[in-house]
Amino acid sequence: PFRIKMVEPIALHSRTEREQYLKEAHFNLFKLPAEYVTFDFLTDSGTSAMSQEQWSKLMLGDESYAQSKSWYKFEKAVKDLTNKRFVYPVHQGRAAERLLFRSMLR
């Protein structure tokens, strides 16, 4: 069991509206305005409520990028897991996948 810590209202569009939105975007999901999307299965972003532990870590994180305490903790964890010499932080999962898979092919 758990308690949800945050909710956000979402619009529920009818099937007819959704079909019209898709036609207007020429069936290109990247041209579909976000307010027309009820459930986002295209991106790899989180889509559910966060736990109290996730919220607390967010508030405790050091947001200065270079030389922050959280950077050293992250770098150590990645090096321990991968045995790699260098760690390159990226802003998104797909960017990380691209770098990782390119390095694996070499």
Side-chain angles (χ1 to χ4, degrees), residues 15-81:
R15 181 184 182 110
T16 305
E17 290 172 319
R18 294 191 311 269
E19 289 173 351
Q20 183 61 37
Y21 300 150
L22 284 170
K23 287 177 188 172
E24 289 171 3
H26 303 284
F27 298 94
N28 181 342
L29 298 180
F30 291 99
K31 292 183 182 257
L32 190 65
E35 63 265 20
Y36 297 159
V37 178
T38 303
F39 300 104
D40 182 359
F41 297 112
L42 176 65
T43 67
D44 59 359
S45 301
T47 57
S48 61
M50 290 175 30
S51 70
Q52 64 187 10
E53 288 80 15
Q54 289 170 313
W55 278 113
S56 68
K57 296 298 182 190
L58 181 67
M59 296 298 120
L60 292 172
D62 181 352
E63 293 299 318
S64 61
Y65 292 103
Q67 311 303 315
S68 66
K69 289 184 291 183
S70 56
W71 161 253
Y72 290 115
K73 187 175 181 180
F74 171 76
E75 182 183 41
K76 182 181 179 330
V78 171
K79 285 182 175 182
D80 288 349
L81 288 168

